[in-house]
Amino acid sequence: MKLDDKTLTETGLAPEGQGRILVIACGALAREILALIEINGWDHIDLQCLPAILHNTPEKITGRVVEAIEKHRAGYDRVFVAYADCGTGGRLQANCEALGVELIEGPHCYSFFEGNQSFAERSEDEITTFYLTDFLARQFDAFVWRPLGLDRHPQLRDTYFGHYEKLVYLAQTDDPAITQKARDAADRLGLTFERRVTGYGDLATVLGTQAKL
């Protein structure tokens, strides 16, 4: 069955007693997490996603994650949060620690997809780089173009992106259609294009560790 983005962001399977793991995740990671669950046969992991659009208002992320933990953790042996800091200024980590819940290390998904160490090593040389993931390439209009008003006021492009030089597409999958969407986004923003294959990066590593605990 092919799942669209709306279905994925609403995925949440019922707990089946102790020993199960609940992953509370950003909806932008839903496809990747579901793929990892299927590939690895992690039948003891359930997924509950929050709307990816929360990234446009990061001050709301911490409250929504805490609410989801408190609402859904009953009956699970452990809860894991599939967010990084994501613009919360450390508040998400502090609240998760208070609740005894781990989350992904790193500032954001660009970092943990590429690998936090690798991303940090490149960061000084890429301060003029704009990043897309598979999700953001597919949803470029909904999460970038329209929220910034560029559909109505294209002249604002240079105001928002004038200091950028390059768009790097961090590819989780080898999909020519998504690559073309990312390339088109770079063209629309007037940026040079680079495709960098990351796979699932640290997301696969940390979920694998959680699955074995």
Side-chain angles (χ1 to χ4, degrees):
M1 179 176 66
K2 182 177 180 180
L3 300 177
D4 59 22
D5 289 327
K6 182 175 186 296
T7 302
L8 287 169
T9 57
E10 293 176 352
T11 298
L13 304 178
E16 297 180 4
Q18 295 300 313
R20 300 192 66 81
I21 301 169
L22 173 64
V23 174
I24 295 174
C26 172
L29 303 178
R31 286 179 182 267
E32 289 73 26
I33 294 173
L34 288 174
L36 287 166
I37 289 172
E38 181 176 359
I39 290 168
N40 292 285
W42 293 333
D43 295 334
H44 61 303
I45 295 181
D46 295 341
L47 177 64
Q48 179 68 44
C49 285
L50 299 179
I53 200 67
L54 283 172
H55 276 289
N56 287 1
T57 52
E59 69 278 4
K60 298 180 181 179
I61 291 175
T62 300
R64 292 291 300 274
V65 170
V66 169
E67 179 183 318
I69 292 171
E70 293 175 340
K71 179 179 180 181
H72 297 291
R73 74 187 307 175
Y76 285 96
D77 182 63
R78 190 168 65 260
V79 176
F80 181 77
V81 169
Y83 276 86
D85 181 74
C86 298
T88 66
R91 290 185 295 276
L92 181 58
Q93 181 174 355
N95 277 266
C96 285
E97 287 178 355
L99 292 168
V101 173
E102 293 184 54
L103 71 164
I104 303 176
E105 292 186 6
H108 40 59
C109 60
Y110 314 131
S111 178
F112 66 67
F113 272 135
E114 183 165 358
N116 286 320
Q117 182 175 349
S118 177
F119 190 89
E121 290 171 352
R122 294 176 184 265
S123 60
E124 289 189 6
D125 297 325
E126 295 194 340
I127 58 175
T128 58
T129 297
F130 184 73
Y131 297 94
L132 294 181
T133 61
D134 279 16
F135 177 86
L136 286 173
R138 291 194 307 269
Q139 300 293 336
F140 180 76
D141 282 342
F143 281 79
V144 180
W145 198 256
R146 289 198 296 270
L148 292 177
L150 294 172
D151 57 327
R152 303 179 303 279
H153 307 288
Q155 71 275 11
L156 292 176
R157 183 189 68 175
D158 291 342
T159 300
Y160 290 122
F161 295 96
H163 63 293
Y164 289 102
E165 298 177 357
K166 177 173 64 175
L167 183 150
V168 171
Y169 163 43
L170 303 173
Q172 284 73 71
T173 57
D174 186 15
D175 188 324
I178 302 178
T179 298
Q180 187 58 53
K181 287 179 181 292
R183 190 183 300 276
D184 290 344
D187 290 342
R188 292 163 71 182
L189 295 176
L191 304 176
T192 59
F193 176 75
E194 178 184 340
R195 179 177 181 268
R196 191 176 298 165
V197 178
T198 67
Y200 300 129
D202 290 349
L203 179 65
T205 303
V206 297
L207 287 181
T209 298
Q210 291 295 316
K212 294 175 184 177
L213 292 179

